[in-house]
């Protein structure tokens, strides 16, 4: 039988279900109080103390105005140097944006026009489809291959289709990958850069989950690989420190794309919250130890979850994620149809993200958020098993 971790001091084990149900965010209000919500990328953690301190001081000073300056870029630069040995977050090649998807849209507008294609690796974060369609671009899928890894042949075919007739095209890369938790290797990313260069495709890397890489894997910033000098990346502390409600992110250009990023309209920089900048900067500068505690808990949770599934739901196929705090479950052998999440919600009162909105490869799958206590994770699997 799977056992719960002995350590009860980490951020993922400090809040009870009663504490969590006092929250009013989407995770805890979309469904009724009898439902365990593991469907959205919010973590069940208290706010890191350095962030609380920074916000409390700002409130005491009445510092509630508009965002300005390069504090966020400087904080992320220090974090990237320490964690990844990367010096690519130069303040003069960054732009403050409201959040990663808003920033990605604005960068895509710089390098593509209406009707142009944006390539994605399906199954992938559903807003990739929604935002791209809303900005009058078309999605071309390059499905992930064996082991949820980038398939070079599929990617090349997608690039060929996207650029047919001399059209501009971009590749919206998810790194680490949501929903599979795949952490792309340096060789894989170098191959992406080479292919993109050969076809004239501009790479825009969503690296929102970059700080959430688990033991045994290493995040490689896309802009650090050879051939990525003309690419862009979107960075944020929001996922790693649970700051989705405090909006702020960075668009970063490779050296050859700096002039293009400088063309972003000034109004784009009006979107970030000043408090978001304060919170994210504090997280990056002073929240490393807290993040390490989260990563330790997530490492334990992914292993616990594997054991729970093997014991209670052996028909589910699950590959432990190397990054993010998301688990991607193949439920097709359970006979629950294309939307097993609906069955688990109705019969088991556990809310998961249905796989169909993630595009090709999503039907029959669910995404589970592992960033909760071992007790809640255990109860969720018990309910899922009971639903069958």
């Amino acid at each position: 039988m799977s056992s719960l971790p002995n350590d009860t001091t980490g951020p993922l084990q400090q809040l009870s279900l009663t504490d969590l149900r006092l929250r009013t965010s989407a995770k805890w209000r979309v469904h009724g109080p009898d439902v365990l919500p593991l469907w959205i990328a919010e973590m069940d953690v208290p706010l890191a103390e350095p962030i609380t301190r920074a916000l409390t001081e700002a409130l005491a000073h009445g510092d509630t105005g508009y965002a300005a300056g390069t504090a966020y870029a400087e904080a992320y630069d220090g974090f990237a140097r320490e964690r990844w040995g990367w010096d690519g977050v130069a303040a003069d090649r960054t732009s403050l944006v409201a959040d990663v998807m808003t920033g990605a849209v604005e960068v895509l507008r710089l390098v593509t026009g209406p009707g142009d294609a944006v390539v994605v690796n399906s199954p992938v974060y559903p807003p990739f489809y929604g935002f791209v369609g809303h900005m009058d671009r078309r999605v071309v899928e390059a499905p992930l291959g064996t082991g949820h890894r980038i398939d070079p042949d599929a990617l090349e075919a997608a690039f060929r289709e996207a650029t047919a007739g001399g059209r501009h095209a971009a590749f919206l890369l998810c790194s680490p990958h949501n929903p599979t938790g795949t952490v792309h290797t340096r060789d894989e990313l170098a191959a992406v850069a080479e292919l993109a260069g050969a076809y004239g495709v501009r790479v825009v890397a969503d690296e929102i989950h970059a700080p959430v890489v688990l033991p045994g894997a290493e995040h490689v910033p896309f802009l650090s690989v050879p051939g990525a000098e003309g690419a862009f990346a979107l960075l944020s502390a929001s996922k790693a420190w649970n700051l989705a409600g405090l909006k702020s992110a960075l668009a970063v250009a490779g050296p050859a794309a700096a002039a293009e990023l400088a063309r972003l309209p000034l109004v784009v920089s009006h979107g970030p919250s000043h408090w978001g900048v304060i919170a994210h900067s504090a997280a990056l500068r002073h929240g490393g130890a807290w993040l390490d505690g989260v990563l330790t808990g997530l490492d334990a949770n992914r292993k616990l979850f594997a054991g729970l599934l093997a014991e209670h739901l052996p028909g589910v196929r699950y590959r432990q994620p190397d990054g993010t705090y998301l688990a991607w479950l193949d439920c097709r052998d359970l006979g629950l149809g294309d939307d097993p999440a609906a069955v688990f919600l109705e019969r088991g009162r556990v809310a998961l993200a249905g796989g169909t909105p993630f595009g090709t490869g999503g039907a029959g799958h669910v995404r589970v958020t592992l960033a909760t206590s071992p007790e809640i994770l255990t109860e969720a699997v018990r309910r899922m098993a009971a639903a069958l």
Side-chain angles (χ1 to χ4, degrees):
M1 177 178 292
S2 299
S3 58
L4 301 180
N6 293 323
D7 179 18
T8 59
T9 62
L12 289 169
Q13 300 187 56
Q14 292 177 6
L15 299 176
S16 69
L17 187 56
T18 301
D19 295 328
L20 292 165
R21 290 203 185 280
L22 296 175
R23 294 182 169 182
T24 59
S25 63
K27 181 173 186 178
W28 297 98
R29 286 297 182 264
V30 167
H31 300 285
D34 63 327
V35 172
L36 279 184
L38 299 179
W39 62 282
I40 196 171
E42 293 183 25
M43 294 199 291
D44 295 345
V45 291
L47 198 60
E49 192 278 334
I51 302 173
T52 301
R53 184 171 65 247
L55 293 175
T56 301
E57 291 175 359
L59 183 62
H61 298 146
D63 190 6
T64 56
Y66 296 103
T70 59
Y72 195 168
E74 293 163 7
Y76 212 115
D77 176 50
F79 180 84
R81 289 172 185 269
E82 178 183 349
R83 293 274 167 156
W84 308 317
W86 179 49
D87 62 357
V89 189
D92 61 352
R93 288 193 278 108
T94 68
S95 180
L96 202 58
V97 294
D99 54 40
V100 163
M101 280 312 306
T102 300
V105 165
E106 294 299 336
V107 171
L108 289 170
R109 290 188 196 280
L110 293 176
V111 298
T112 63
D116 286 340
V118 177
V119 175
V120 303
N121 292 132
S122 58
V124 74
Y125 183 51
F128 277 22
Y129 296 92
F131 276 93
V132 169
H134 184 65
M135 63 183 295
D136 196 23
R137 273 63 170 172
R138 56 192 175 90
V139 171
V140 173
E141 293 183 324
L144 294 174
T146 304
H148 301 151
R149 310 214 70 87
I150 294 173
D151 181 340
D153 292 335
L155 191 63
E156 183 169 15
F159 284 0
R160 187 181 302 114
E161 177 184 343
T163 57
R167 299 293 298 259
H168 294 292
F171 174 34
L172 187 52
L173 169 69
C174 195
S175 180
H177 193 85
N178 175 0
T180 63
T182 305
V183 175
H184 309 303
T185 67
R186 186 174 297 277
D187 286 347
E188 287 171 331
L189 294 175
V192 168
E194 183 177 0
L195 270 177
Y199 284 88
V201 172
R202 306 300 297 276
V203 179
V204 179
D206 169 358
E207 297 187 350
I208 196 170
H209 286 280
V212 190
V213 170
L214 304 177
E218 174 190 8
H219 172 67
V220 178
F222 184 74
L223 294 181
S224 72
V225 304
E229 295 80 9
F232 302 85
L234 281 304
L235 311 176
S236 179
S238 67
K239 289 294 181 254
W241 283 273
N242 208 43
L243 300 174
L246 292 164
K247 288 206 175 266
S248 192
L250 285 174
V252 184
E260 289 169 299
L261 187 63
R263 298 204 315 266
L264 274 185
L266 180 62
V267 293
V268 172
S269 68
H270 295 175
S273 158
H274 180 45
W275 269 37
V277 171
I278 291 171
H280 289 228
S281 299
L284 291 160
R285 290 188 186 280
H286 307 297
W290 183 91
L291 174 62
D292 289 339
V294 169
L295 297 178
T296 297
L298 290 174
D299 185 27
N301 274 4
R302 64 175 172 170
K303 296 170 183 174
L304 170 67
F305 194 58
L308 290 168
L309 291 176
E311 181 178 352
H312 299 288
L313 288 166
V316 171
R317 283 174 279 180
Y318 162 63
R319 179 184 296 271
Q320 291 188 40
D322 291 324
T324 78
Y325 44 78
L326 307 169
W328 185 239
L329 307 187
D330 184 346
C331 303
R332 288 175 292 180
D333 290 345
L334 300 182
L336 302 180
D338 286 348
D339 189 13
V343 178
F344 290 129
L345 178 60
E346 180 182 357
R347 299 181 190 169
R349 310 311 289 160
V350 57
L352 311 173
T356 302
F358 291 81
T360 298
H365 292 69
V366 297
R367 192 191 72 178
V368 183
T369 298
L370 299 177
T372 189
S373 70
E375 291 79 13
I376 290 176
L377 205 57
T378 300
E379 173 62 11
V381 174
R382 186 197 68 77
R383 292 188 183 194
M384 292 168 67
L388 304 182

